[in-house]
Every structure is written in C-alpha cells, then in structure tokens.
Amino acid sequence: RRVHGPICNPMACPWGLKAFGNYLGADQETWKKYDATELVKAYDGPERAILVNQGTEDSFLKEQLKPETLEAAVAGNPRIKLTVSRDEGYDHSYCHIATFVENHLRHHAACLK
C-alpha cells in the first residue's frame, strides 16, 4: 500500500466526520472498516508494508490528515511495517505527488515480488 498525504484517521477529523456521517450514517462502529487507523488496529493478516509521503507544509496536516494516529496504531501491530516520509517544504499539491511517485512505484514493485 502507498499513499500521498492521506487522511489517516477520518473518524477523528472534521472532513471525515462530515463525510462518514453523510455517506455511512450515524453508527460510528460501521465507519471503522473505512478508517485506515482503525483497520490497522484490527488487522490480523499477512505482513504488509505501507509507504506514506507527507508534505511538511501541507495545510491539512494537523487538523485533517493526522499521520501520527496511523503511526501509533502501527506501533501496536507487528504485522504492518509503516514508512512515513515527511517531505520538507511540500504541501498537498501535484508537485508533491510528481516528485515522489517513483518511490511509490518502486514500493509497489517490491511488494509484488
């Protein structure tokens, strides 16, 4: 798995609360199967590697994206190896993706071997 600037814990951010409430209904227990942090906490399958690139200048970082919640969840699950690259000076734009997409392609290739 790989992601650029993901919303890591939508159940704990304004965008996620609004979106999940509107699309999935009021029962927050059902939201867990769509929240990466909750999925990592419950994951009990084969070992997986996740690569996250996160721009340090992303205006959504603190309030919406919350990579620290994913890191905390992974710390409690030995089946998942998480690499979070904090990319200095990058925001939530195409330039961030374009700069680091090759790393993600290599990550996928390694996972497919």
Side-chain angles (χ1 to χ4, degrees), residues 8-37:
C8 295
N9 193 192
M11 291 179 66
C13 76
W15 179 91
L17 293 171
K18 181 178 178 181
F20 282 13
N22 287 331
Y23 290 108
L24 302 173
D27 180 9
Q28 291 191 6
E29 195 62 31
T30 65
W31 299 4
K32 289 182 178 181
K33 60 186 171 184
Y34 301 98
D35 183 306
T37 297

Side-chain angles (χ1 to χ4, degrees), residues 56-101:
T56 60
E57 301 301 315
D58 193 320
S59 62
F60 301 109
L61 182 58
K62 290 183 178 156
E63 186 179 17
Q64 302 285 357
L65 305 181
K66 302 183 180 285
E68 67 280 357
T69 62
L70 185 61
E71 289 172 306
V74 167
N77 190 334
R79 296 177 184 269
I80 298 180
K81 179 183 179 229
L82 175 65
T83 302
V84 177
S85 176
R86 287 179 169 77
D87 305 318
E88 289 294 324
Y90 286 91
D91 59 12
H92 204 80
S93 70
Y94 170 78
C95 291
H96 184 232
I97 294 171
T99 301
F100 296 99
V101 71

